[in-house]
Amino acid sequence: MSESLELEFMTDDSLAGFRLQRLEVFNSRELSERFPEVRDWIARISAASGPYRIEWRTVNHRILGVNEIPAQIWIDSLEDAFRLIGRLREAERFAALLALAGVHTKFIEGHKAVLAELLDLVLPEEAINGAYGGASGFCRRYGFLDKPSRVRFRGLDPAVRLLRTEGDHDITLTERSFASLDPSLSTVFITENEINFLAFPDVPGGMVLFGAGYGFDNLAGADWLHQKKIHYWGDIDTHGFAILNQLRGLFLHARSFLMDQQTLLVHRSLWGMEPQQETADLARLNDEERDLYDQLRCHRWGDRVRLEQERIGFDFLLDQLGLSR
């Protein structure tokens, strides 16, 4: 047989109809050359019993005349389709689970990986937002409402009020509210340690953000950050540089702060050991950062050396900021 029909499952709101996966048919030449086989094939299909119906096609052959041959085979209900493939019991169990009381959002939260595989298989391409993936991007990938990400920050310039109240401001906003903020400040520091965030000294025109390690989606919508100087202060270890590299995926102009060889060597007595090192090449580091990153992952000063940011002396921080005590 040199011609075949591609057959697929089809349904709409008013009528469920399922065409079988594939039905091969004979072309005109084969009808004349293999007529006995064609006749037997038609007889077998006609005599077979099952939960389906046959659509016939009229063929007017120049030698054999007018003949009716099977064109499509349809199954008109879900129940018949599942019975034909031997999956009726599983389908009934699935339907019962779908209607089962007590299935809540925690079920989704606990099975995101499996559900993502299934949704990727059954959803049309236009229903999937390919910009998001993994557990953190599950809701946005499939169009579910997600709890808003939040941004925690402090203003470092007493002359610039972010709120009308007096005193130090430790503020947390949703990412959308933060994106619309655009304060009259010039410099933004990002630090990963909460004590560093809370103790960061006043800086004219400054703001400090409390980071969350890997992942900066909560800052992606704040276009005004592209107009500010950004300084990232992370641990001097391989993961600290990997996080800096990731941040530059959003803000290429971000600069590292207190993540240099001088700072590392001055605090030698406070070194620790990184549990597990990052080993990937980091394309967004500058030459000085890449050199220090390579020396760390090659163990130049010892096994998995790290300097955690909170171990850096406060006087050293003030000196690097050009501030007096």
Side-chain angles (χ1 to χ4, degrees):
M1 303 178 191
S2 58
E3 180 186 0
S4 65
L5 293 177
E6 185 66 28
L7 303 170
E8 57 189 9
F9 294 107
M10 300 179 65
T11 185
D12 58 39
D13 293 336
S14 60
L15 175 66
F18 300 85
R19 289 188 293 185
L20 291 185
Q21 183 178 7
R22 180 179 293 274
L23 178 64
E24 295 185 341
V25 300
F26 291 87
N27 61 28
S28 178
R29 180 177 58 82
E30 290 171 329
L31 283 174
S32 58
E33 294 180 353
R34 303 169 60 186
F35 184 73
E37 294 179 44
V38 174
R39 183 180 54 197
D40 292 343
W41 171 69
I42 293 174
R44 287 198 306 272
I45 291 179
S46 301
S49 61
Y52 55 82
R53 59 182 171 85
I54 303 171
E55 279 193 2
W56 297 84
R57 183 178 60 159
T58 301
V59 176
N60 191 357
H61 196 274
R62 63 184 182 87
I63 298 175
L64 301 175
V66 178
N67 290 273
E68 297 288 325
I69 65 171
Q72 296 179 353
I73 296 179
W74 285 81
I75 302 172
D76 293 321
S77 73
L78 276 171
E79 183 178 339
D80 287 340
F82 289 128
R83 182 178 289 109
L84 183 65
I85 63 175
R87 291 292 184 267
L88 180 60
R89 178 174 295 181
E90 289 89 339
E92 290 174 342
R93 183 170 181 270
F94 176 79
L97 289 173
L98 193 63
L100 184 59
V103 177
H104 43 68
T105 56
K106 286 189 176 181
F107 175 83
I108 295 177
E109 292 171 4
H111 299 83
K112 287 181 178 179
V114 174
L115 290 172
E117 292 184 26
L118 296 175
L119 290 173
D120 281 348
L121 290 173
V122 302
L123 289 178
E125 184 176 349
E126 60 270 17
I128 299 174
N129 188 340
Y132 298 95
S136 62
F138 180 87
C139 291
R140 296 185 184 186
R141 182 175 179 83
Y142 303 112
F144 295 111
L145 290 177
D146 199 2
K147 62 182 180 181
S149 297
R150 301 182 183 274
V151 183
R152 185 180 176 189
F153 61 96
R154 294 176 53 236
L156 302 176
D157 189 339
V160 179
R161 283 193 182 183
L162 300 176
L163 296 177
R164 294 182 179 180
T165 58
E166 297 287 344
D168 185 38
H169 295 151
D170 183 345
I171 305 170
T172 300
L173 295 177
T174 64
E175 59 179 301
R176 180 176 296 182
S177 297
F178 182 78
S180 64
L181 190 63
D182 196 7
S184 56
L185 298 168
S186 59
T187 306
V188 176
F189 297 90
I190 302 175
T191 183
E192 303 293 337
N193 179 268
E194 187 174 26
I195 298 301
N196 287 3
F197 166 77
L198 293 171
F200 209 98
D202 290 344
V203 176
M207 168 192 286
V208 61
L209 307 183
F210 183 36
Y214 289 101
F216 294 96
D217 288 345
N218 60 340
L219 304 180
D223 292 336
W224 54 268
L225 284 173
H226 292 278
Q227 312 305 320
K228 313 295 182 182
K229 297 177 182 177
I230 298 179
H231 298 276
Y232 176 75
W233 183 12
D235 296 333
I236 303 181
D237 61 14
T238 60
H239 284 280
F241 284 110
I243 296 171
L244 170 64
N245 184 76
Q246 186 183 66
L247 174 64
R248 286 192 175 136
L250 289 176
F251 306 104
L252 189 59
H253 67 293
R255 301 178 62 182
S256 58
F257 179 67
L258 297 182
M259 297 178 69
D260 54 81
Q261 183 170 317
Q262 176 195 2
T263 301
L264 176 67
L265 297 180
V266 165
H267 295 83
R268 181 186 292 267
S269 62
L270 301 175
W271 288 356
M273 179 180 291
E274 191 173 16
Q276 185 173 358
Q277 287 190 313
E278 174 64 64
T279 59
D281 292 330
L282 305 177
R284 301 188 186 99
L285 301 184
N286 63 33
D287 291 342
E288 182 180 353
E289 294 161 350
R290 185 177 298 106
D291 182 61
L292 180 52
Y293 171 70
D294 288 340
Q295 292 182 75
L296 289 170
R297 61 177 177 165
C298 292
H299 314 294
R300 175 180 175 182
W301 296 286
D303 183 27
R304 293 171 286 163
V305 165
R306 76 181 306 195
L307 174 63
E308 295 173 281
Q309 56 196 274
E310 62 268 27
R311 294 180 178 271
I312 294 176
F314 191 72
D315 288 341
F316 190 87
L317 168 63
L318 292 176
D319 182 63
Q320 296 301 307
L321 291 170
L323 303 173
S324 57
R325 207 175 158 78

